[in-house]
Amino acid sequence: MRNPGTVRSPGVTPGELDEVRCRLEDFAEDMFEPLARADQRRWGGGCLQGLLLDGQRKSAEPMAARLGQDGNRKALAHFITSSPWDPAHVRARPAWRTEPVIMPGR
């Protein structure tokens, strides 16, 4: 648990990520399910982890470094900048999941 008086960069620590890893992997699997290829789904989850981990810079290289041995700067950069997938399908997933909570009975 964090000390509320401690100032640090936004994000979670590797230990905090480990505590929620299974739930995060399930969430990523659901969010990136519309992507056609397994490598795209894998890097979607890696990108999500890289964004959540502590660190000021959220570009591909620093995120890949934070992912450690699971990080591949080239593959992550390719996923972010030039992988042929439609982000609209991924962005729609949270909306579809939250609609029953926000608008029950609809």
Side-chain angles (χ1 to χ4, degrees), residues 41-53:
R41 292 188 296 275
R42 177 177 177 261
W43 287 113
C47 187
L48 181 60
Q49 286 183 34
L51 288 169
L52 290 173
L53 285 168

Side-chain angles (χ1 to χ4, degrees), residues 24-46 48 79 84-94 96-97:
L24 181 61
E25 288 173 355
D26 289 345
F27 175 80
E29 184 178 315
D30 185 48
M31 289 299 106
F32 296 108
E33 187 269 333
L35 301 181
R37 298 188 342 236
D39 64 318
Q40 292 172 324
R41 292 188 296 275
R42 177 177 177 261
W43 287 113
L48 181 60
F79 173 78
W85 56 277
D86 185 357
H89 296 289
V90 174
R91 289 181 186 138
R93 301 293 282 195
W96 296 333
R97 290 183 71 173

Side-chain angles (χ1 to χ4, degrees), residues 11-86:
V12 299
T13 66
E16 291 168 332
L17 184 64
D18 285 342
E19 290 176 21
V20 297
R21 183 172 305 279
C22 289
R23 289 178 34 215
L24 181 61
E25 288 173 355
D26 289 345
F27 175 80
E29 184 178 315
D30 185 48
M31 289 299 106
F32 296 108
E33 187 269 333
L35 301 181
R37 298 188 342 236
D39 64 318
Q40 292 172 324
R41 292 188 296 275
R42 177 177 177 261
W43 287 113
C47 187
L48 181 60
Q49 286 183 34
L51 288 169
L52 290 173
L53 285 168
D54 279 340
Q56 292 295 323
R57 295 190 55 223
K58 301 297 183 179
S59 56
E61 192 167 326
M63 287 194 316
R66 285 191 292 275
L67 292 172
Q69 65 180 350
D70 292 333
N72 176 320
R73 187 196 58 77
K74 266 181 126 168
L76 189 60
H78 177 75
F79 173 78
I80 294 169
T81 61
S82 54
S83 186
W85 56 277
D86 185 357

